[in-house]
Amino acid sequence: MTTTPYAIWTSLLLISVVVLIPILYLARKRLGGWPGQGPKNMAILETLAVGPRERLMVVSVAGQTLLLGVTAQQIQLLRAMEPGPAAEAAADSFATRLDGALTGTGKD
């Protein structure tokens, strides 16, 4: 029995599909879904590292802007802000002041 090039290519294609399906399944499970399927009403607006495992985050959730303190053990709501440019300006102002305080060049 002779194998034709068509049979060889068909077999390789079938093996590739059988191998690719579990790989895609595991990747989807590990990454939490396909790209673009994330929450539509949540967004991280800005992040500032204040330590090796501590961060300040400005997030938008369902139209509300929140300032969160995030550590390895917990997440704490520090302030709820009005949404829009004022909240983004407040976050920038806070980040600038905090950065200046950490480097010693900022005003108190």
Side-chain angles (χ1 to χ4, degrees), residues 3-17:
T3 53
T4 64
Y6 178 75
I8 293 172
W9 283 110
T10 304
S11 299
L12 288 175
L13 182 63
L14 180 62
I15 291 169
S16 299
V17 169

Side-chain angles (χ1 to χ4, degrees), residues 96-97 99-108:
T96 304
R97 287 190 292 163
D99 189 40
L102 291 175
T103 58
T105 58
K107 299 176 184 174
D108 290 332

Side-chain angles (χ1 to χ4, degrees), residues 12-98:
L12 288 175
L13 182 63
L14 180 62
I15 291 169
S16 299
V17 169
V18 168
V19 169
L20 191 61
I21 289 173
I23 290 173
L24 288 175
Y25 173 76
L26 292 174
R28 180 176 173 246
K29 190 172 185 178
R30 180 154 173 91
L31 297 175
W34 300 110
Q37 285 186 332
K40 306 253 187 293
N41 61 350
M42 293 176 58
I44 297 174
L45 303 177
E46 193 162 342
T47 301
L48 176 67
V50 293
R53 299 178 79 181
E54 297 84 20
R55 301 196 183 294
L56 291 173
M57 300 179 83
V58 178
V59 298
S60 173
V61 179
Q64 189 175 16
T65 304
L66 307 170
L67 176 63
L68 303 175
V70 180
T71 67
Q73 291 80 27
Q74 74 181 55
I75 299 172
Q76 177 91 28
L77 173 64
L78 300 177
R79 183 174 177 206
M81 300 183 285
E82 294 297 321
E88 292 172 14
D92 270 346
S93 172
F94 179 75
T96 304
R97 287 190 292 163
L98 183 61

